[in-house]
């Protein structure tokens, strides 16, 4: 089967660490099913894996990718990407992404536990459906589980062009929130307004109204602005740090305004089912920056590294 995989990580050149070639199709364990993948999407996690960071090395080729939509037993499905087994063997709620357990999905075929399959919303293209498992699930949990966003609240989304950020805008708008975004790019700010954001600001610009909830994926480049822009009693939810992992915290502002900071990672299977139903009910279409054939996946990885995309970078696998 055709697959995108890693043989030797490269800290300096993760894009060139991707090989596209033929690998043997995986065997299907009992109670697992084979999915014929139609489309996949890339995530920052894949770049970290390609750099050799945060993933236990696997013997032999390591198929990358957490996001897939495809066909299993004649049904159109999206794949829930989290296995409950941590690398140390313990069972914990959000433990291991499929690729980190040797089941990367950017390949013609992938095997997953049967209960990981959720029907694909009929309106979505394969690429749009493939956006849901990681970025959209993460945004869903950040907004609805961790921050309990309510209609009428003000949600600030930092770094509007990102995969998680575009998901957060789409979900928060559908939930009836007023959405404010920041982006370094005027073109991305325009596109965020077209997704339903009410206000789009340059990074670091003063917000017109302090936010009830801040969706923070960028890290140190925006974190001080996130704290400055949160109302008293408001919530900042953090799922990543694209610009780095060490941020300064204005402690007086944090305690004087009684701001809550939550970490958030991926989501449960129930949250994934709820996300897919929410997207279907509200007829939301995930924002796809571009889709290329799997053979050209390095182009997508390069775009992710450059930070030029607006929305998800997808591959088609047919
Ligand atoms: N914990 C989890 O479960 C989980 C799941 C998914 C992702 N993540 C993490 O969340 C983060 C975002 O992921 P993603 O897939 O959304 O990434 P992405 O699509 O590559 O988006 C990153 C965005 O960050 C902004 N950005 C990057 N550098 C910046 C800088 N120096 N200053 C201001 N803005 C900057 C850019 O926004 P503009 O160009 O619009 O300014 C860019 O669009 C990553 O760190 C990822 O690892 C975590």
């Amino acid at each position: 089967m055709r697959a995108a995989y890693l043989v030797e990580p490269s800290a300096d050149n993760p894009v060139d660490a991707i090989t596209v070639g033929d690998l043997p199709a995986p065997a299907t364990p009992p109670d697992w099913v084979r999915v014929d993948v139609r489309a996949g999407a890339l995530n920052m996690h894949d770049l970290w894996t390609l750099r050799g960071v945060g993933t236990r090395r696997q013997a032999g080729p390591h198929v990358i990718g957490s996001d897939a939509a495809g066909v299993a037993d004649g049904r159109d499905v999206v794949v829930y990407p989290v296995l409950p087994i941590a690398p140390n063997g313990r069972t914990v709620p959000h433990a291991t992404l499929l690729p980190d357990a040797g089941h990367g999905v950017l390949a013609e075929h992938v095997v997953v536990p049967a209960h990981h399959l959720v029907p694909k919303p009929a309106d979505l293209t394969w690429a749009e459906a493939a956006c849901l498992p990681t970025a959209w699930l993460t945004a869903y949990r950040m907004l609805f589980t961790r921050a309990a966003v309510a209609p009428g609240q003000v949600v600030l989304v930092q770094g509007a062009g990102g995969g998680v950020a575009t998901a957060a805008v789409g979900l928060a708008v559908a939930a009836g929130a007023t959405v404010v975004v920041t982006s370094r790019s005027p073109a991305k700010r325009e596109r965020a307004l077209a997704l339903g954001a009410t206000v789009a600001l340059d990074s670091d610009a003063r917000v017109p109204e302090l936010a009830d909830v801040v969706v923070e994926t960028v890290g140190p480049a925006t974190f001080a602005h996130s704290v400055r822009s949160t109302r008293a009693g408001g919530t900042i939810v953090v799922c990543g740090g694209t610009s780095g992992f060490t941020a300064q915290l204005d402690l007086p502002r944090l305690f004087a305004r009684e701001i809550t900071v939550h970490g958030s990672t991926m989501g449960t299977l129930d949250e994934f089912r709820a996300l897919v139903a929410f997207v279907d009910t509200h007829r939301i279409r995930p924002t796809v920056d571009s889709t290329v054939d799997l053979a050209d996946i390095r182009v997508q990885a390069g775009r992710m590294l450059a930070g030029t995309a607006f929305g998800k970078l997808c591959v088609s696998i047919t």
Side-chain angles (χ1 to χ4, degrees):
M1 64 171 189
R2 283 201 311 151
Y5 57 90
L6 162 73
V7 178
E8 199 55 51
S10 170
D12 299 329
N13 201 347
V15 174
D16 285 344
I18 305 174
T19 301
V20 180
D22 282 324
L23 292 178
T28 311
D31 300 326
W32 287 45
V33 287
R34 188 174 103 161
V35 181
D36 299 329
V37 179
R38 296 287 191 258
L42 274 173
N43 290 287
M44 280 290 172
H45 181 81
D46 301 312
L47 286 183
W48 288 115
T49 301
L50 293 161
R51 289 184 175 113
V53 176
T55 306
R56 220 171 35 150
R57 286 304 308 283
Q58 296 163 19
H62 174 156
V63 177
I64 61 170
S66 313
D67 289 350
V71 179
D73 294 330
R75 292 176 299 145
D76 294 354
V77 297
V78 279
V79 177
Y80 174 65
V82 186
L83 291 170
I85 309 296
N88 62 11
R90 287 177 51 229
T91 301
V92 290
H94 321 293
T96 303
L97 287 173
L98 285 169
D100 299 346
H103 301 286
V105 301
L106 294 182
E108 273 179 283
H109 310 295
V110 58
V111 293
V112 297
H115 64 276
H116 279 224
L117 303 183
V118 175
K120 168 187 162 297
D123 286 352
L124 300 190
T125 65
W126 288 115
E128 288 167 345
C131 299
L132 299 175
T134 298
W136 279 70
L137 175 60
T138 302
Y140 184 91
R141 179 175 171 81
M142 292 173 84
L143 288 170
F144 300 122
T145 305
R146 303 301 270 152
V149 163
Q153 287 193 322
V154 176
V155 175
L156 170 63
V157 179
Q158 302 281 20
V164 178
T166 50
V169 171
L171 294 171
V173 167
T178 299
V179 177
V180 178
V181 300
T182 68
S183 173
R184 299 163 298 176
S185 148
K188 290 186 188 181
R189 293 199 290 272
E190 280 301 314
R191 294 191 65 181
L193 291 172
L195 287 184
T198 305
V199 179
L201 303 167
D202 198 355
S203 304
D204 220 36
R206 192 187 180 95
V207 291
E209 186 181 357
L210 294 177
D212 298 284
V213 173
V214 180
V215 173
E216 176 53 83
T217 64
V218 178
T222 54
F223 203 80
H225 181 260
S226 291
V227 175
R228 279 203 307 279
S229 306
T230 307
R231 71 159 170 81
T235 302
I236 302 170
V237 193
V238 185
C239 82
T242 302
S243 61
F245 292 126
T246 308
Q248 285 205 323
L249 198 51
D250 180 346
L251 288 174
R253 205 179 289 257
L254 193 76
F255 64 70
R257 288 192 188 169
E258 298 197 323
I259 292 169
T260 301
V261 181
H262 282 301
S264 195
T265 284
M266 297 299 290
T268 64
L269 179 55
D270 281 346
E271 286 165 337
F272 188 57
R273 291 188 180 120
L275 160 70
V276 175
F278 188 91
V279 164
D280 205 13
T281 304
H282 291 272
R283 297 185 163 263
I284 304 170
R285 303 196 83 97
T287 303
V288 174
D289 174 86
S290 49
T291 305
V292 303
D293 185 83
L294 182 67
D296 296 319
I297 188 172
R298 284 189 212 88
V299 173
Q300 300 301 65
R303 287 178 178 147
M304 175 158 274
L305 201 58
T308 51
F310 185 87
K312 295 296 294 174
L313 292 155
C314 296
V315 292
S316 63
I317 304 170
T318 45

